Amino acid sequence: HRWRKSRLLCVIVANTMAVSASASLSKAVKKQYMELPQGDKVQAMYIWIDGTGEGLRCKTRTLDFEPKSIEDLPEWNFDGSSTYQSEGSNSDMYLIPAAMFRDPFRQDPNKLVLCEVMKYNRKPAETNLRITCKKVMDMVEDQHPWFGMEQEYTILGTDGHPFGWPSNGFPGPQGPYYCGVGADKAYGRDIVEAHYRACLYAGVQICGTNAEVMPAQWEFQVGPCEGINMGDHLWVARFILHRVCEDFGVVASFDPKPIPGNWNGAGCHTNFSTKEMREDGGLKAIEDSIEKLGKRHRYHIRAYDPKGGLDNARRLTGHHETSNINEFSAGVANRGASIRIPRNVGQEKKGYFEDRRPSANCDPYGVTEALIRTCLLSEEGDEPADY
């Protein structure tokens, strides 16, 4: 009995996850306060992208009424010197409301407000890619560009170790985890379920989720979204994921290669179509777009992660269901290609194509803008045109 007890203790210690101190605070006590009436006031949580191009920040203000549209929301400001966005001597930055969602954490009538960031001189911050994306999307709105993005992520403990992995070793090799069921195959499903429902409540166009190839790695899909809505909905879905993980005391990582070695990386495969591609005979337009993409590979690699391709270089090796970062390729049903045409699209001669190059930590505004510039505006060369 003593041997079995000590062995059980060792197993428990080996699988103890590093979770945040906040996770141990009583949620029952918090619930008591969250159920208090708030009168006719509304809490609006303003969300923005910080100077890293991948981190999110937020703060809340009280409104005297429930806003019905973006026009009802006031501009705000913040200290950019504390978000890698300005110097301390001239640190005021402006928050311009861009998209509004229901708040799944405080619930109705409270709001989540995604914002653009402007500098003190009203010029866009360096990581405000939404402003040019919107301009480009408006130029092609008659073509009705649709996007669907497949966001992969990894659940980590606060020590950076993958959730559920042995503290001093590795789980069994990849194989049983993709779309897996069971405690020994699916690590952290509670987080996935909570995030899914929170996105549905908020009004995010989330359309699915699944466990991924590496244990503790998951994916959710957002779309189809038209134009600028793709970036807005994916960024808010990411924010909601970070907040859900915060409640559980763990971390959501969008690192494209969180664990080196024989483990899959994390991408953000982007599905794209236009009205012409979706109609009969649309395969011709799909093939034309792929031909244009093949001539502009370096530009797209630069646009597909926040470090100009350096993050993706760790992931796009030609192994683990990826293409090589230095080569462009396309094929039907080929998950080792840069661009995949789904088999049913090849058969029906219409539909969409999938760009498998964007990294998990890409900026969806940058990715969707690049696709429009190359495929629909027929830009060439390594630099974007200035309109």
Side-chain angles (χ1 to χ4, degrees):
H1 283 300
R2 190 179 300 157
W3 175 81
R4 280 168 60 189
K5 191 175 178 182
S6 64
R7 187 169 175 269
L8 182 62
L9 188 64
C10 287
V11 170
I12 291 169
V13 169
N15 288 292
T16 299
M17 281 302 302
V19 297
S20 69
S22 301
S24 64
L25 294 173
S26 171
K27 304 303 179 191
V29 172
K30 179 192 172 189
K31 189 169 185 281
Q32 176 186 327
Y33 294 103
M34 296 306 286
E35 289 174 347
L36 292 172
Q38 60 187 74
D40 57 359
K41 304 294 185 184
V42 170
Q43 290 171 285
M45 181 174 276
Y46 281 43
I47 303 162
W48 70 97
I49 301 159
D50 70 17
T52 65
E54 47 188 320
L56 286 163
R57 307 293 178 114
C58 64
K59 62 177 186 168
T60 301
R61 69 183 297 162
T62 303
L63 302 176
D64 294 329
F65 59 93
E66 182 180 355
K68 301 299 181 188
S69 69
I70 283 298
E71 290 71 37
D72 294 340
L73 293 160
E75 290 184 10
W76 206 6
N77 54 56
F78 68 96
D79 168 19
S81 68
S82 300
T83 61
Y84 315 116
Q85 285 171 301
S86 70
E87 298 172 3
S89 58
N90 194 0
S91 66
D92 270 8
M93 309 283 282
Y94 295 103
L95 293 172
I96 315 298
M100 184 170 67
F101 296 81
R102 296 167 72 197
D103 186 338
F105 306 103
R106 295 167 173 151
Q107 302 188 18
D108 289 339
N110 304 301
K111 306 296 181 191
L112 301 180
V113 182
L114 182 66
C115 299
E116 286 190 22
V117 176
M118 298 294 195
K119 298 183 198 176
Y120 70 95
N121 57 7
R122 310 296 288 192
K123 290 188 174 173
E126 282 73 14
T127 54
N128 178 0
L129 305 190
R130 187 183 190 276
I131 199 158
T132 54
C133 182
K134 178 79 166 64
K135 187 187 291 186
V136 165
M137 292 299 173
D138 287 346
M139 292 171 68
V140 298
E141 62 182 343
D142 60 323
Q143 299 189 51
H144 300 286
W146 288 5
F147 301 92
M149 297 184 81
E150 307 168 23
Q151 178 68 69
E152 294 179 333
Y153 64 96
T154 310
I155 303 172
L156 307 176
T158 51
D159 58 357
H161 197 67
F163 180 80
W165 286 34
S167 56
N168 53 359
F170 296 91
Q174 296 183 154
Y177 309 107
Y178 173 72
C179 297
V181 179
D184 58 341
K185 299 179 185 69
Y187 297 14
R189 193 185 296 276
D190 283 358
I191 289 159
V192 177
E193 294 295 337
H195 173 251
Y196 201 152
R197 189 60 60 89
C199 283
L200 290 173
Y201 181 95
V204 170
Q205 285 285 102
I206 189 168
C207 60
T209 188
N210 59 270
E212 266 303 330
V213 177
M214 186 179 86
Q217 186 186 62
W218 294 81
E219 172 183 302
F220 64 89
Q221 302 91 27
V222 176
C225 294
E226 187 162 330
I228 197 68
N229 288 337
M230 184 68 254
D232 291 348
H233 282 246
L234 189 64
W235 273 117
V236 171
R238 286 174 175 178
F239 173 82
I240 291 172
L241 179 63
H242 285 308
R243 271 290 284 107
V244 166
C245 285
E246 184 184 319
D247 283 348
F248 282 100
V250 295
V251 176
S253 170
F254 296 117
D255 189 288
K257 188 72 175 179
I259 307 297
N262 198 23
W263 302 98
N264 273 36
C268 193
H269 301 157
T270 301
N271 302 279
F272 172 58
S273 70
T274 61
K275 187 171 182 287
E276 184 183 7
M277 294 176 193
R278 296 187 293 271
E279 292 175 345
D280 288 345
L283 186 61
K284 172 75 167 66
I286 291 171
E287 289 170 342
D288 289 347
S289 287
I290 292 171
E291 188 176 336
K292 293 174 187 175
L293 289 167
K295 296 172 181 172
R296 218 179 184 210
H297 181 60
R298 280 195 309 180
Y299 164 73
H300 282 266
I301 289 296
R302 278 216 324 272
Y304 284 2
D305 80 51
K307 296 187 179 68
L310 293 177
D311 276 347
N312 240 341
R314 293 183 283 124
R315 166 182 162 256
L316 295 179
T317 59
H319 304 291
H320 304 111
E321 300 181 58
T322 68
S323 57
N324 187 299
I325 193 167
N326 298 311
E327 298 165 5
F328 180 86
S329 56
V332 174
N334 184 357
R335 283 179 162 76
S338 311
I339 305 291
R340 179 179 73 93
I341 298 175
R343 188 167 301 286
N344 65 310
V345 172
Q347 290 168 346
E348 295 175 13
K349 304 280 192 284
K350 64 178 178 181
Y352 67 96
F353 67 84
E354 175 192 55
D355 193 333
R356 298 177 62 81
R357 295 172 294 175
S359 68
N361 61 344
C362 69
D363 187 326
Y365 297 128
V367 171
T368 56
E369 178 187 330
L371 284 165
I372 296 297
R373 285 178 176 274
T374 301
C375 298
L376 303 190
L377 299 178
S378 300
E379 289 184 19
E380 297 177 352
D382 287 346
E383 296 300 326
D386 190 13
Y387 299 107

